[in-house]
Every structure is written in structure tokens, then in C-alpha cells.
Amino acid sequence: MDEEFDFADKVPPSFDRMGNVIKDAEAKGFNPGLIVLLVVVGLLLIFLVGNYVLYIYAQKTLPPRKKKPISKKKMRKERLKQGVSAPGE
């Protein structure tokens, strides 16, 4: 009977290897999902900050937009609303 229990205190080699993998899994560095998340968030942040910088630069350097010319009919209507008679009427 002693012969049957010689290996009772030893772990089979296949299970021993798996135990080391599980112990070393936490010490291998960043999670790949975390790396992808950081890259995507970083690119999005760079995009948004770049757009903001370009917007501020354009506001400072571009000339103001020209207004559309007002038609003569609209000018007459506005003058009549204000109570000023148009010349020649």
C-alpha cells in the first residue's frame, strides 16, 4: 500500500506548468484591451484638441464674412416699418 501513495504529495507536471502561468499572468504588463482603449482615447483627444486649435486660429486670421446685399424691396419694407417714407414715394 505504501507504493500506491508515493506520488500523493507531488503535483503532475502538466498542472505544475499551468500553476506558473496563472501566477505569472498578472505580472506580464498591460492588458491588450487597455492598450487599445488608451490608443483610441488618445487619438480622439488629439483630434478634438487639434480641431479646437484650428478653429481659434481661423477666428483670428480669417477676415469676417461679408453680409448678403439687401434687396431694394426689403429696404423699402424696413423703412416703412420704421415710419420713414422712401424718397420718391
Side-chain angles (χ1 to χ4, degrees), residues 28-48:
K28 285 198 173 186
F30 292 113
N31 185 359
L34 179 65
I35 293 172
V36 170
L37 182 68
L38 289 174
V39 168
V40 170
V41 169
L43 290 174
L44 182 66
L45 190 65
I46 290 170
F47 176 75
L48 292 175

Side-chain angles (χ1 to χ4, degrees), residues 18-89:
M18 289 303 292
N20 290 339
V21 170
I22 292 171
K23 289 177 188 174
D24 294 340
E26 294 178 18
K28 285 198 173 186
F30 292 113
N31 185 359
L34 179 65
I35 293 172
V36 170
L37 182 68
L38 289 174
V39 168
V40 170
V41 169
L43 290 174
L44 182 66
L45 190 65
I46 290 170
F47 176 75
L48 292 175
V49 169
N51 276 343
Y52 179 73
V53 168
L54 286 174
Y55 174 76
I56 296 298
Y57 175 74
Q59 291 294 317
K60 290 181 180 177
T61 58
L62 291 176
R65 292 177 56 185
K66 293 182 180 178
K67 293 182 180 179
K68 288 184 178 179
I70 300 173
S71 68
K72 291 182 181 180
K73 281 186 180 179
K74 284 187 180 179
M75 284 179 60
R76 284 185 191 151
K77 283 183 183 179
E78 287 296 322
R79 285 183 184 166
L80 288 174
K81 282 181 185 177
Q82 292 176 0
V84 178
S85 62
E89 290 184 10

